[in-house]
Amino acid sequence: MQVGINHAEKVADNVGINVGINVGINEQRAIRIIAQDPKMTATRLAEILQVTVRQAERIFSSLRNAGILRRVGAKKNGHWEIIQ
């Protein structure tokens, strides 16, 4: 499912407001990045955030565990969804 950038930004803004201080700065940045590119990989996220790939994996895990993010589909051809 491809969403428009304006919609993605609105979703990311709402998630940022709803999450509050329970999510760190990198997690908030990751939400915005994933909203713009739902097929984001840990490797690419690590490059953008300038963190290690392992840290990017932890960010994905943290967002999934917090109920903010879910993976739809397989590893290779799936995408991320931001849950409202």
Side-chain angles (χ1 to χ4, degrees):
M1 176 179 113
Q2 187 68 17
V3 294
I5 292 176
N6 289 338
H7 175 72
E9 288 175 356
K10 287 179 186 174
V11 169
D13 287 341
N14 289 338
V15 170
I17 291 168
N18 294 334
V19 171
I21 61 172
N22 292 332
V23 174
I25 293 169
N26 279 338
E27 285 85 352
Q28 289 177 7
R29 290 178 61 205
I31 291 167
R32 290 183 186 277
I33 292 165
I34 294 164
Q36 292 179 2
D37 183 4
K39 293 190 178 263
M40 182 59 56
T41 65
T43 303
R44 183 66 184 129
L45 184 64
E47 290 172 4
I48 294 169
L49 295 178
Q50 298 180 340
V51 297
T52 65
V53 174
R54 181 65 186 120
Q55 183 60 32
E57 291 169 349
R58 285 187 192 110
I59 290 169
F60 278 124
S61 179
S62 169
L63 294 172
R64 280 194 317 262
N65 290 339
I68 298 168
L69 196 63
R70 80 171 153 224
R71 184 75 180 172
V72 176
K75 273 188 171 184
K76 284 199 168 202
N77 59 4
H79 65 275
W80 295 101
E81 280 187 0
I82 298 174
I83 303 167
Q84 281 286 339

